Amino acid sequence: MQFENFYQKVSKPYVQFDFPLGRNRAKKYFNDVQKTGQVIHHRFLPFISISITFEKHPTPEKPRNVKSRPISLVSHSDAGIYTYYAEMLNDRYNAYVVNHGIDDVAVAYRTGGSQHHGSNITAAHEVFDFIDASEEGWVLKGDFKGFFDHLNHKVLWRRFLNVIGELSNDEKLAWTKVFDELTRFRTIKKATLIKRLKKSRRFVTVKKNDKVAYFDNLKTLGDFLKENQDIINRNRTNEGIPQGTGLSAVMANVYMTEFDEKAKNMVYALGGIYRRYSDDFVVVLPKTVSELQFETLTDEMLKMSQDLVELEIEHDKTKALSFKHGEFFDLKKDNQSAGLDYLGFLFANNTVSIRGGSSYKYYYRGRKALKSANTAKKIFEIASADSSLAVDDIYKQLIKGNQSGGAATALKNKIQRILFHVKRGTGLPEIHNSYRRYVIDPEFSKPRTSFISYAIRAEEEFSKGSHSYRVVINKQLNKQRARLAIKYLHET
């Protein structure tokens, strides 16, 4: 493993029990985690769990829907061990799947030199090209319910031993320690942690050399955990692993090795293709396979998921489709016209586009960002014209009626922040940042995080090779950018 990759993981500036590691400390720790004795005696810390609330953006067909997703934050010291062991296991996994002829099946969480390791864009492109080349056939698309939460520990350990191969006694002890900590993980809810800390001391966090943590040493942390055992949640079941570590992702692929091998053998015997992206899988079969054979294979896949991996394939989310020259038909709905929604892309009417929800999400977020930028611009202009104005004076110029308490507080905080910039003469880059991110030409957008850049990469990928389907991703993007530009110019 390269030190820089290790350092990137242990130095991330999120707040956990321990401080992010500086470069010098990380170098020493990098050497330590390579010693089995250090790992065997390592004191793993609880995960800190938070719930991220996100909005399923409404469309004309679907109402507004707010959901939450649990996220586990691993301590920085534990992240180093999980990262190092994840890379070791990934190397063994890559060798295992090559030897067993399934290197092309799992396309998520992969690192290494295989041509099959890529993004969701390349994975979807491969499947869509296979469909296009087949002209007519069948598609089975499904996912495993509560994938990470239902990985059986005994099954996982057996699959792990198959993949990892021969280990020395010390190596097995170290791996057993890491495995036990991953499967019998402990969590503390962030909100509960903060409440307890507020009761026991003045400040929730501590700071050292511009780094922030909840505790400045292991002794005070140990005392706190000992006195607050009631807020520590332990996984006492025989299933489930947290998603907050690099090792969890590799373990998930290891868990599915036997299923992947048998599924691929069944599908390939019928001239088809089987791919799995984490908990999502897709099967494509040519028209030479009868509908009865397709239904039989579907039943076998459902049964195999329970027998081999003790996972449930969600019935409601399973799609059984037939296709002909890029047109799809839903077998569960009397052959109604349909489309294949796979990894964020829609293949329908012999056309590939970004899923409607993703495109609308881009517009929805852009609209909110531009509205916020316009408000910031108005505040900046008012404050620049008269820097003696107080927060309440500017607030009254902006708001003529009543606002809810939360909205009023948020706006006043924004005014206070912008007043600070005006008085210091530092300008306000956020006014134009949102415009660049959502409206301006792609070369000004962030290459890895901007939806604009993502859409352009997708257009380029799907346009490669020879195929009969149309690619309209750029057209979608330009339409939304134009809508946002009109709205931005109208409100400025």
Side-chain angles (χ1 to χ4, degrees):
M1 181 178 195
Q2 298 295 320
F3 168 73
E4 289 301 327
N5 294 337
F6 178 86
Y7 177 63
Q8 183 182 21
K9 295 291 184 182
V10 299
S11 63
K12 285 186 175 180
Y14 58 84
V15 183
Q16 237 281 357
F17 292 117
D18 58 347
F19 289 102
L21 274 63
R23 180 169 288 273
N24 290 336
R25 188 178 162 209
K27 285 181 179 178
K28 181 181 182 304
Y29 192 52
F30 181 60
N31 292 326
D32 288 344
V33 300
Q34 298 177 55
K35 302 169 185 175
T36 55
Q38 294 282 353
V39 174
I40 292 169
H41 296 101
H42 178 75
R43 179 183 178 184
F44 284 84
L45 301 177
F47 290 85
I48 295 177
S49 63
I50 60 176
S51 290
I52 295 180
T53 300
F54 61 99
E55 190 171 323
K56 300 286 285 187
H57 299 277
T59 65
E61 298 81 23
K62 294 183 179 181
R64 195 171 184 174
N65 186 14
V66 177
K67 292 189 175 183
S68 63
R69 177 180 298 158
I71 300 294
S72 296
L73 295 177
V74 61
S75 74
H76 297 91
S77 58
D78 296 350
I81 292 177
Y82 286 131
T83 297
Y84 184 79
Y85 275 67
E87 180 141 333
M88 280 200 297
L89 181 57
N90 189 72
D91 289 342
R92 300 287 183 95
Y93 172 79
N94 285 338
Y96 180 93
V97 294
V98 168
N99 291 335
H100 287 75
I102 54 172
D103 184 42
D104 55 351
V105 169
V107 291
Y109 317 132
R110 299 292 299 276
T111 58
S114 172
Q115 61 178 328
H116 305 292
H117 309 168
S119 66
N120 65 306
I121 300 174
T122 56
H125 181 208
E126 180 196 21
V127 171
F128 291 177
D129 273 3
F130 186 90
I131 291 170
D132 183 66
S134 300
E135 295 187 354
E136 294 185 59
W138 316 96
V139 176
L140 172 66
K141 177 184 171 291
D143 61 43
F144 300 97
K145 185 177 181 179
F147 187 52
F148 283 89
D149 293 336
H150 292 105
L151 299 184
N152 182 279
H153 296 163
K154 290 183 179 179
V155 175
L156 180 58
W157 183 248
R158 290 200 302 270
R159 301 287 186 271
F160 165 76
L161 291 177
N162 287 340
V163 169
I164 198 67
E166 191 173 333
L167 296 171
S168 68
N169 288 336
D170 284 348
E171 288 173 335
K172 191 166 185 179
L173 286 173
W175 267 111
T176 300
K177 174 70 176 286
V178 173
F179 185 90
D180 286 346
E181 291 293 338
L182 190 68
T183 53
R184 296 186 177 93
F185 60 94
R186 297 167 297 156
T187 60
I188 297 178
K189 292 182 179 179
K190 180 180 178 180
T192 305
L193 171 65
I194 291 175
K195 285 181 181 179
R196 288 294 173 91
L197 289 173
K198 284 182 176 179
K199 287 182 178 180
S200 62
R201 65 194 195 194
R202 183 178 176 184
F203 300 106
V204 171
T205 58
V206 292
K207 193 172 183 180
K208 185 187 296 182
N209 298 327
D210 295 326
K211 294 181 173 62
V212 181
Y214 289 116
F215 293 89
D216 58 2
N217 60 70
L218 287 177
K219 184 182 183 308
T220 55
L221 170 59
D223 292 341
F224 175 84
L225 294 177
K226 188 175 181 180
E227 294 169 4
N228 293 274
Q229 288 287 313
D230 60 306
I231 68 172
I232 302 175
N233 302 302
R234 303 173 187 273
N235 182 28
R236 301 184 186 278
T237 69
N238 65 349
E239 62 181 22
I241 59 175
Q243 296 187 55
T245 78
L247 183 58
S248 300
V250 187
M251 282 289 190
N253 276 339
V254 168
Y255 188 87
M256 296 298 295
T257 47
E258 187 174 353
F259 181 93
D260 287 344
E261 187 170 357
K262 293 195 174 184
K264 177 179 177 177
N265 289 339
M266 286 194 308
V267 172
Y268 275 52
L270 297 172
I273 186 175
Y274 162 68
R275 294 289 183 267
R276 182 179 58 79
Y277 194 97
S278 188
D279 58 340
D280 287 318
F281 71 88
V282 65
V283 172
V284 183
L285 297 174
K287 195 65 175 180
T288 52
V289 175
S290 69
E291 185 170 356
L292 178 59
Q293 286 176 300
F294 175 64
E295 291 172 351
T296 300
L297 180 133
T298 301
D299 292 339
E300 288 178 351
M301 293 276 287
L302 294 171
K303 184 176 184 301
M304 195 166 65
S305 69
Q306 296 176 339
D307 294 345
L308 288 183
V309 289
E310 300 186 21
L311 294 173
E312 178 186 351
I313 295 176
E314 293 200 65
H315 178 74
D316 292 341
K317 292 185 178 181
T318 301
K319 299 292 183 183
L321 309 170
S322 65
F323 66 87
K324 183 176 182 179
H325 303 306
E327 304 282 345
F328 294 83
F329 307 93
D330 195 327
L331 298 178
K332 292 183 177 181
K333 297 181 179 179
D334 298 323
N335 289 312
Q336 288 182 13
S337 181
L340 174 59
D341 185 343
Y342 183 56
L343 302 182
F345 299 96
L346 180 65
F347 191 2
N349 301 317
N350 206 34
T351 301
V352 172
S353 60
I354 288 181
R355 182 170 52 199
S358 299
S359 177
Y360 184 81
K361 184 189 297 183
Y362 164 73
Y363 174 76
Y364 183 87
R365 288 177 174 173
R367 188 176 64 187
K368 289 180 67 176
L370 294 177
K371 183 178 180 180
S372 177
N374 287 336
T375 300
K377 183 178 180 181
K378 290 175 184 176
I379 296 169
F380 190 83
E381 290 172 346
I382 294 170
S384 297
D386 186 355
S387 60
S388 66
L389 292 175
V391 171
D392 285 340
D393 297 328
I394 298 175
Y395 178 82
K396 289 175 183 177
Q397 291 191 43
L398 293 171
I399 304 298
K400 303 303 180 184
N402 295 324
Q403 262 191 324
S404 65
T409 300
L411 180 56
K412 289 181 179 180
N413 288 340
K414 181 191 280 282
I415 294 171
Q416 182 69 52
R417 178 174 55 80
I418 293 173
L419 272 173
F420 173 80
H421 284 284
V422 170
K423 290 175 180 178
R424 292 193 64 179
T426 54
L428 198 65
E430 71 180 77
I431 294 175
H432 297 292
N433 284 348
S434 294
Y435 183 68
R436 287 194 181 100
R437 183 172 177 81
Y438 289 98
V439 179
I440 209 164
D441 289 337
E443 57 263 27
F444 292 101
S445 63
K446 294 182 180 179
R448 297 296 300 173
T449 61
S450 166
F451 182 84
I452 295 175
S453 296
Y454 172 78
I456 288 174
R457 291 200 313 273
E459 174 86 18
E460 291 174 351
E461 174 63 30
F462 281 105
S463 297
K464 292 176 181 177
S466 176
H467 50 74
S468 67
Y469 57 77
R470 296 168 57 235
V471 183
V472 296
I473 296 171
N474 275 349
K475 185 177 180 180
Q476 281 180 290
L477 172 66
N478 291 333
K479 180 179 178 181
Q480 299 292 28
R481 286 168 60 199
R483 290 178 66 193
L484 288 171
I486 292 170
K487 187 170 185 64
Y488 179 82
L489 293 173
H490 175 72
E491 294 187 358
T492 53

